[in-house]
């Protein structure tokens, strides 16, 4: 194409713009890494990252345990950066979470780059700042979660798609598809949310006949599909005897795990044969919403909804702007800008529709609309600043209207969301000051140039004050969420355990030992005393991942776990358990109340297995004994009971 523009790059921008972008990235890193070493993470996925750091085989197959006998209950791409970090820095909470901090910085920079190449440096800077202070991003990128890699991958895919549109080349479409595939490895079908939008945008942006347009869209969709299915095909083509059992299934079928257990079955139970059954109640913890209005509930709006008004203004302005231009022949540059606008709107609507219809077990799912909201809000604000001195009354009214709407919404959401009083007062103060400054600037059109910078600063502050001051709560170690539930502030369902006052915690950006309680420490000591783990063999076998995961976290040694995450995956048969015992793995740990038909319970109760130690949640003290021996008190129980057996 003759009118292909040169790609804008941040290093070519003025020094002050580069400095502002660096400051935004620094603030993003500070918010996400402030409590990195004191985070609380989910032991199941933490154990997988530790296992994958211990064994290249476990890394390849995305295994739960170091010996790779069973996979995770989802694709494990999100844990690969965590495993490599642990392998490089050693096992710690911060090492697990560090890749997510980096993924957050890449996401913020991707928003800056897309905004720069879309509407200019002001759009890029505001988009980066909006992404950096989005509360769900601040919490999610500070903890080990699959949503971090997913969000980064889709943001980078948008960068490559935009590059393909701007340069009129096909190979960046392959890169866009590749990063959608990387997002799929992180969180499966959720990575396909932007695919319909990108296909539509490609058809709109590519010049030439329909055959050329559809061919470009096919390249994008085909590369995304190939990259998405690549690891699944590797698993499926590997003989069953040479790979781990696929968790989340009853028949060892990775497609049933991805598209059944983690896909269609989330909407229609037992729709895909081979996927383990998950009751509807298990899909959504008590207190979580499963209604179509969940995205406008204060519980979730405090995490993602601060920029709703600005994004809505951006959508309406874009429709008006390009509808008006559409009556004539738009330039190539306007056609590309319009295509990106369409991509963002369709992607936003697709994601919002699926999130509204589906159950949402974790607030981190909200990250699916964060990038779009940041870019659309930045578009609205930069356009409002551009046309504020226009001769058109409608265009002149855009900036005061946007700031007034956004400021009022921020104050309302701060009150609804239980924002600490000092931060609420600050939000109110900044919002009022922004409205007044913009109103005064708009009333003097002749002095538009002289007051342009103060008005721009006031407008940006008014738009971003709400999410920025709300996200500051992440500096409090009790309000920054966890790897189990990314959430900034005080969630209503857990208010009884969270301090009512907000206080900045001392920075703790590194360290943090895996969580292992007293009973698990005693279990590990008893296992080693009974000869478990000798000569590099597995420490023990168990019927529960919850007993295996903390031990793997703490030691990196092999523990054989049956049942997978739900307890329904038939990882071992009774004969395989007996064979393991014959091979030297003579210790078995069973939960109290284990099903009689459980393979390990069947072997323990039918073969020559004796009690070594027992921890009961129903008595004040646990009891240790040996066959024919006297019991010995160990410690006070704090959780469900379990028993260690020795089998000959």
């Amino acid at each position: 194409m003759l009118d292909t523009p040169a790609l804008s790059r941040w290093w070519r921008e003025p020094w002050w713009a580069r400095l502002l972008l660096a400051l935004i990235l620094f603030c993003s890193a500070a918010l996400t890494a402030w409590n990195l070493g004191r985070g609380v993470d989910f032991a199941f996925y933490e154990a997988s990252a530790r296992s994958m750091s211990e064994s290249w085989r476990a890394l390849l197959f995305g295994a739960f345990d170091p010996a790779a006998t069973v996979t995770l209950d989802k694709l494990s791409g999100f844990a690969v950066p965590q495993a490599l970090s642990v392998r490089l820095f050693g096992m710690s909470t911060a090492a697990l979470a560090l890749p997510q901090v980096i993924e957050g910085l890449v996401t913020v920079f991707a928003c800056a780059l897309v905004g720069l190449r879309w509407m200019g440096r002001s759009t890029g800077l505001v988009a980066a700042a909006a992404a950096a202070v989005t509360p769900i991003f601040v919490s999610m990128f500070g903890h080990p979660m699959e949503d971090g890699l997913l969000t980064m991958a889709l943001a980078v895919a948008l960068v490559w798609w935009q590059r393909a549109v701007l340069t009129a080349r096909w190979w960046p479409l392959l890169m866009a598809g590749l990063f959608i595939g990387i997002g799929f490895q992180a969180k499966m079908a959720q990575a396909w949310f932007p695919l319909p939008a990108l296909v539509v945008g490609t058809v709109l942006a590519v010049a030439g006949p329909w055959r050329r347009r559809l061919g470009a869209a096919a390249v994008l969709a085909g590369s995304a599909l190939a990259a998405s299915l690549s690891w699944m095909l590797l698993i499926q083509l590997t003989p069953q005897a040479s790979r781990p059992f696929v968790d989340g299934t009853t028949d060892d079928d990775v497609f049933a795990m991805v598209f059944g257990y983690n896909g269609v079955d989330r909407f229609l139970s037992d729709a895909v044969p081979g996927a383990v059954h998950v009751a509807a109640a298990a899909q959504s913890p008590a207190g979580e919403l499963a209604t179509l209005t969940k995205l406008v509930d204060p519980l979730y709006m405090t995490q993602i909804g601060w920029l709703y008004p600005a994004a809505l203004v951006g959508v309406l302005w874009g429709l008006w702007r390009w509808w008006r231009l559409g009556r004539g022949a738009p330039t190539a540059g306007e056609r590309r800008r319009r295509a990106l606008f369409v991509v963002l709107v369709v992607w936003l609507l697709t994601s919002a529709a699926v999130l509204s219809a589906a159950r949402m077990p974790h607030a981190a799912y909200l990250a699916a609309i964060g990038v779009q909201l940041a870019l659309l809000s930045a578009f609205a604000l930069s356009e409002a600043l551009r046309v504020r001195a226009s001769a058109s009354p409608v265009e002149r009214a855009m900036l005061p209207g946007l700031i007034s709407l956004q400021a009022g919404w921020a104050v309302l959401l701060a009150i609804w969301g239980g924002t600490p009083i000092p931060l609420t007062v600050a939000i109110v103060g900044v919002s009022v000051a922004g409205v007044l400054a913009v109103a005064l600037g708009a009333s003097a059109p002749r002095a538009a140039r002289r007051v342009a910078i103060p008005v721009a600063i006031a407008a940006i502050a008014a738009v971003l004050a709400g999410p920025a001051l709300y996200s500051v709560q992440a500096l409090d170690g009790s309000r920054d969420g966890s790897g189990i539930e990314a959430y900034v502030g005080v969630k209503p369902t857990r208010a009884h355990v969270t301090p009512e006052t907000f206080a900045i915690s001392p920075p703790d950006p590194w360290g943090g030992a895996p969580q292992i309680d007293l009973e698990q420490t005693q279990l590990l000591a008893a296992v080693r005393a009974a000869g478990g783990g000798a000569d590099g063999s597995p420490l023990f076998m168990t019927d529960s991942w919850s007993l295996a995961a903390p031990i793997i976290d703490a030691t990196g040694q092999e523990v054989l776990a049956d049942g997978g995450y739900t307890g329904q995956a038939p990882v071992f048969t009774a004969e395989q358990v007996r064979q393991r015992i014959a091979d030297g793995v003579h210790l078995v740990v069973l939960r109290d109340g284990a099903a009689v038909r459980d393979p390990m319970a069947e072997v323990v109760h039918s073969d020559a297995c004796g009690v070594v130690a027992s921890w009961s949640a129903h008595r004040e003290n646990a009891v240790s004994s040996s066959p024919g021996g006297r019991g010995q008190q160990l410690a006070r129980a704090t959780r469900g009971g379990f028993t260690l057996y020795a089998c000959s």
Side-chain angles (χ1 to χ4, degrees):
M1 298 173 63
L2 298 177
D3 58 352
T4 299
L7 285 176
S8 301
R9 304 180 188 276
W10 275 106
W11 59 267
R12 292 174 180 162
E13 294 300 308
W15 67 268
W16 59 266
R18 287 179 277 134
L19 182 62
L20 283 176
L21 179 58
L23 181 61
I24 291 169
L25 292 170
F26 174 80
C27 291
S28 175
L31 282 173
T32 54
W34 191 268
N35 291 306
L36 207 63
R38 63 169 63 96
V40 177
D41 304 315
F42 191 33
F44 182 71
Y45 300 124
E46 192 176 67
S48 176
R50 180 68 190 269
S51 297
M52 292 163 68
S53 74
E54 298 287 336
S55 163
W56 294 115
R57 172 182 163 83
L59 183 73
L60 174 64
F61 289 114
F64 167 75
D65 57 314
T69 59
V70 61
T71 70
L72 288 180
D73 66 330
K74 50 178 56 70
L75 297 186
S76 61
F78 71 93
V80 171
Q82 299 171 13
L84 296 176
S85 178
V86 170
R87 193 176 186 93
L88 182 61
F89 298 111
M91 181 63 180
S92 70
T93 302
L96 282 168
L98 178 62
Q100 282 68 235
V101 175
I102 298 172
E103 290 160 9
L105 293 175
V106 173
T107 301
V108 171
F109 184 78
C111 289
L113 191 57
V114 171
L116 172 69
R117 293 174 175 174
W118 184 25
M119 302 300 295
R121 74 173 70 98
S122 61
T123 304
L125 290 172
V126 175
V133 299
T134 296
I136 195 61
F137 281 3
V138 172
S139 180
M140 178 187 72
F141 286 126
H143 298 93
M145 303 191 78
E146 58 266 35
D147 303 83
L149 180 60
L150 169 69
T151 304
M152 184 209 76
L154 297 187
V156 174
L158 184 63
V159 171
W160 283 109
W161 177 86
Q162 186 186 39
R163 183 187 179 97
V165 168
L166 292 175
T167 61
R169 295 179 179 177
W170 289 50
W171 69 266
L173 291 175
L174 297 175
M175 296 299 297
L178 172 63
F179 274 93
I180 290 176
I182 292 174
F184 190 91
Q185 307 310 320
K187 209 171 181 186
M188 297 162 293
Q190 191 169 327
W192 290 350
F193 284 2
L195 197 53
L198 292 175
V199 169
V200 171
T202 302
V203 172
L204 291 176
V206 172
W210 278 99
R211 183 175 60 182
R212 178 183 176 85
R213 300 183 182 196
L214 295 177
V219 169
L220 172 64
S223 60
L225 184 64
S228 297
L229 301 182
S230 57
W231 186 85
M232 296 170 61
L233 292 174
L234 170 67
I235 290 289
Q236 204 71 2
L237 294 175
T238 302
Q240 290 182 327
S242 302
R243 60 170 172 83
F245 187 91
V246 177
D247 192 9
T249 72
T250 58
D251 60 358
D252 202 14
D253 182 356
V254 69
F255 285 88
M257 182 262 280
V258 173
F259 297 114
Y261 172 71
N262 288 293
V264 179
D265 284 15
R266 302 286 171 167
F267 300 90
L268 301 171
S269 297
D270 302 325
V272 176
V276 301
H277 172 74
V278 180
Q283 302 293 330
S284 183
E288 298 289 351
L289 299 180
T291 65
L292 294 177
T293 59
K294 66 169 72 73
L295 293 184
V296 292
D297 186 276
L299 175 68
Y300 290 140
M301 284 195 298
T302 56
Q303 306 304 304
I304 195 64
W306 294 90
L307 297 176
Y308 280 179
L312 178 60
V313 171
V315 172
L316 295 176
W317 173 261
L319 291 174
W320 181 77
R321 169 177 172 161
W322 281 296
W323 172 82
R324 184 180 57 175
L325 289 174
R327 290 179 294 183
T331 64
E334 282 299 313
R335 188 179 67 249
R336 298 184 188 106
R337 295 188 186 98
R338 180 177 58 187
L340 180 57
F341 171 77
V342 170
V343 165
L344 292 175
V345 173
V346 174
W347 181 10
L348 176 62
L349 293 177
T350 302
S351 301
V354 176
L355 292 178
S356 297
R359 295 182 181 271
M360 195 183 306
H362 307 290
Y365 282 51
L366 297 168
I369 59 177
V371 169
Q372 306 94 294
L373 290 176
L375 284 164
L376 288 170
S377 300
F379 167 67
L381 185 54
S382 62
E383 284 292 279
L385 289 169
R386 182 180 66 84
V387 302
R388 73 180 186 86
S390 169
S392 167
V394 174
E395 293 181 341
R396 284 204 310 271
M398 182 181 176
L399 182 62
L402 168 62
I403 300 307
S404 299
L405 182 64
Q406 184 63 46
W409 176 256
V411 172
L412 184 62
L413 198 54
I415 297 172
W416 281 353
T419 311
I421 292 177
L423 299 179
T424 300
V425 172
I427 291 172
V428 172
V430 174
S431 298
V432 172
V435 171
L436 292 176
V438 171
L440 291 174
S443 65
R446 293 183 180 179
R449 291 186 177 181
R450 292 201 300 270
V451 299
I453 294 178
V455 168
I457 293 174
I460 294 171
V463 169
L464 299 182
L469 291 171
Y470 192 87
S471 292
V472 167
Q473 292 181 86
L475 300 180
D476 184 337
S478 65
R479 292 171 175 262
D480 71 331
S482 69
I484 302 171
E485 176 71 323
Y487 198 94
V488 174
V490 179
K491 196 170 185 179
T493 56
R494 65 181 189 187
H496 63 286
V497 297
T498 305
E500 295 182 0
T501 58
F502 162 68
I504 297 178
S505 305
D508 188 6
W510 197 252
Q515 300 293 321
I516 182 168
D517 64 23
L518 181 60
E519 284 71 32
Q520 294 157 353
T521 302
Q522 293 170 344
L523 170 62
L524 180 59
V527 165
R528 285 175 170 164
D535 301 324
S537 63
L539 288 166
F540 58 88
M541 293 185 285
T542 179
D543 65 333
S544 171
W545 69 261
S546 62
L547 295 173
I551 305 299
I552 295 175
D553 290 347
T555 67
Q557 291 182 263
E558 174 64 19
V559 178
L560 300 174
D562 191 31
Y565 181 70
T566 63
Q568 302 174 49
V571 181
F572 297 104
T573 64
E575 288 306 313
Q576 289 173 328
V577 172
R578 291 188 175 95
Q579 184 60 51
R580 293 283 186 170
I581 293 173
D583 292 339
V585 188
H586 66 289
L587 300 177
V588 180
V589 181
L590 294 181
R591 296 166 298 154
D592 288 355
V596 176
R597 294 184 178 179
D598 181 270
M600 293 188 183
E602 176 185 335
V603 171
V604 164
H605 297 311
S606 64
D607 295 13
C609 298
V611 174
V612 175
S614 178
W615 291 262
S616 175
H618 305 291
R619 286 181 288 179
E620 179 67 15
N621 295 294
V623 175
S624 171
S625 63
S626 57
R630 296 178 59 185
Q632 178 184 6
Q633 286 191 348
L634 290 179
R636 182 170 54 87
T638 58
R639 59 171 56 204
F642 53 92
T643 302
L644 172 64
Y645 296 88
C647 303
S648 61

